[in-house]
Amino acid sequence: MSSLLKKLEALGHGFFYAVLFVTGQGGAYFILGPVIFTYVLFSRKIHQDTAPYRQKRFPGRKGVGCWLDTFRIVYSFGKVLVDRGWLGIKHGRQFEGELIGREELLGIVKKGKGLVLLTAHVGNWQTALAHICELPAPVNSLMHYEQEAVAKHYFDLRKEPLPFKIINNEGFLGGMVESTAALQKGEVVTIMGDRLTKGPHAEVDFLGFPARLPSAAYNLAAATGSPVAVLLAAKTGRKRYSLRVWDVFYPEKSDRDKRQDEIVLCAKRFAGAMEKYTESYPYQWYNFFDFWKQ
């Protein structure tokens, strides 16, 4: 059954890639609306998957309001997938945008102490990656990378040399050795700081309820003396994105008995940045599971 679903998913992605190739982004958006409407109308699961976030972000919302919230979240995510495909298939195309906090990032990179860029599954992180590669230092992305995944990254579709280096977090020691070496050379390492799959973590409040967040980024920064910058991307127009540095902090290397307290302080900063982001862009949150039980 799972094999059949994967084939159907691949067929759906292939269909949209074909539409993108022939009609461009506008044609794909035109088809996307009815597809998402039908999906949200008949799928109970998508309402269940978005409920944990919706109930905390929009407390008290009921009935049609809940249905519309789900539609807007899924439609927003669909647009991001279309944009990702468009960016990959249509060579030379770029999104317009701004990087708020660019000078601060340039100042940090020039100090040569390395930089941990912490991001999350919101907006379009791949757009962020395309822009931060313009920084005057090599960029590495510590990530779970499946080259055979059905939903292709924009850089897979382009079939060109990557402008950054992927460090697979399924590799030796979760990619920590390679990441440490990169930071010690003054390079940039991007890390997703929201989803916890395994390993050390910190529990902090997010949208008023306790949630566990991975702590690898803070341990890495403390060990190398590198700062952490929270960089989140938001879609602000059909072909426009906004990248913003929401916070910058410097995790301290602490004694063993104080280490977890320091990690919790860092995780609170990150959770606070994500809360501010969801206040500004409430429909660009793409963790479709119970985030508070991860």
Side-chain angles (χ1 to χ4, degrees):
M1 186 63 181
S2 61
S3 175
L4 176 61
L5 289 176
K6 277 193 172 181
K7 287 180 180 177
L8 289 173
E9 186 183 0
L11 187 64
H13 281 280
F15 170 73
F16 267 99
Y17 293 150
V19 171
L20 273 171
F21 186 78
V22 175
T23 68
Q25 186 200 37
Y29 275 8
F30 182 76
I31 293 174
L32 182 68
V35 169
I36 296 297
F37 181 85
T38 305
Y39 176 55
V40 174
L41 186 63
F42 291 104
S43 172
R44 290 182 60 186
K45 188 173 184 306
I46 190 59
H47 292 278
Q48 294 168 352
D49 290 344
T50 57
Y53 170 72
R54 284 189 292 102
Q55 291 166 356
K56 294 171 180 64
R57 179 60 187 82
F58 311 106
R61 195 105 85 194
K62 296 180 181 177
V64 176
C66 288
W67 194 95
L68 288 174
D69 288 337
T70 298
F71 174 80
R72 293 183 70 175
I73 292 170
V74 180
Y75 187 47
S76 168
F77 183 60
K79 284 183 173 179
V80 166
L81 293 182
V82 167
D83 290 353
R84 201 161 81 179
W86 181 76
L87 198 63
I89 290 173
K90 295 291 186 179
H91 288 196
R93 304 295 172 85
Q94 293 290 339
F95 291 106
E96 295 178 356
E98 57 184 352
L99 172 51
I100 302 171
R102 177 183 173 82
E103 293 306 314
E104 187 172 15
L105 289 185
L106 287 175
I108 292 171
V109 171
K110 286 178 181 175
K111 290 180 181 177
K113 298 291 186 182
L115 169 63
V116 174
L117 275 180
L118 202 56
T119 186
H121 292 84
V122 299
N124 188 345
W125 69 269
Q126 290 191 18
T127 303
L129 202 52
H131 281 79
I132 60 176
C133 288
E134 299 170 0
L135 292 174
V139 175
N140 306 266
S141 181
L142 179 64
M143 61 186 288
H144 177 64
Y145 178 59
E146 292 182 59
Q147 200 164 16
E148 302 304 321
V150 172
K152 299 294 184 187
H153 301 290
Y154 85 90
F155 44 80
D156 288 327
L157 292 167
R158 284 190 172 182
K159 301 186 184 306
E160 296 173 349
L162 291 178
F164 57 90
K165 179 184 176 183
I166 292 177
I167 300 176
N168 197 331
N169 64 9
E170 294 293 322
F172 179 64
L173 294 178
M176 287 295 106
V177 175
E178 283 184 81
S179 298
T180 299
L183 291 170
Q184 288 175 335
K185 289 187 287 185
E187 298 181 1
V188 178
V189 176
T190 71
I191 300 177
M192 287 290 194
D194 54 342
R195 291 184 186 174
L196 175 67
T197 54
K198 58 185 178 181
H201 58 271
E203 185 170 301
V204 297
D205 277 0
F206 175 58
L207 295 179
F209 294 84
R212 297 191 304 169
L213 299 176
S215 60
Y218 317 123
N219 288 323
L220 191 58
T224 57
S226 304
V228 173
V230 180
L231 183 73
L232 303 175
K235 184 174 174 64
T236 56
R238 181 180 158 189
K239 293 182 180 178
R240 189 168 185 81
Y241 279 86
S242 174
L243 298 175
R244 179 176 170 183
V245 178
W246 291 79
D247 197 3
V248 175
F249 48 91
Y250 295 75
E252 294 183 6
K253 195 171 184 177
S254 306
D255 297 334
R256 181 176 296 181
D257 56 338
K258 295 180 180 177
R259 192 173 301 161
Q260 188 59 21
D261 293 339
E262 177 65 23
I263 293 298
V264 169
L265 287 176
C266 294
K268 282 182 178 178
R269 297 282 291 262
F270 182 56
M274 289 198 298
E275 285 186 339
K276 291 177 183 173
Y277 178 92
T278 58
E279 287 174 8
S280 300
Y281 310 102
Y283 299 108
Q284 296 192 39
W285 174 261
Y286 305 137
N287 285 306
F288 299 130
F289 59 92
D290 194 341
F291 188 78
W292 291 262
K293 289 185 177 178
Q294 67 174 348

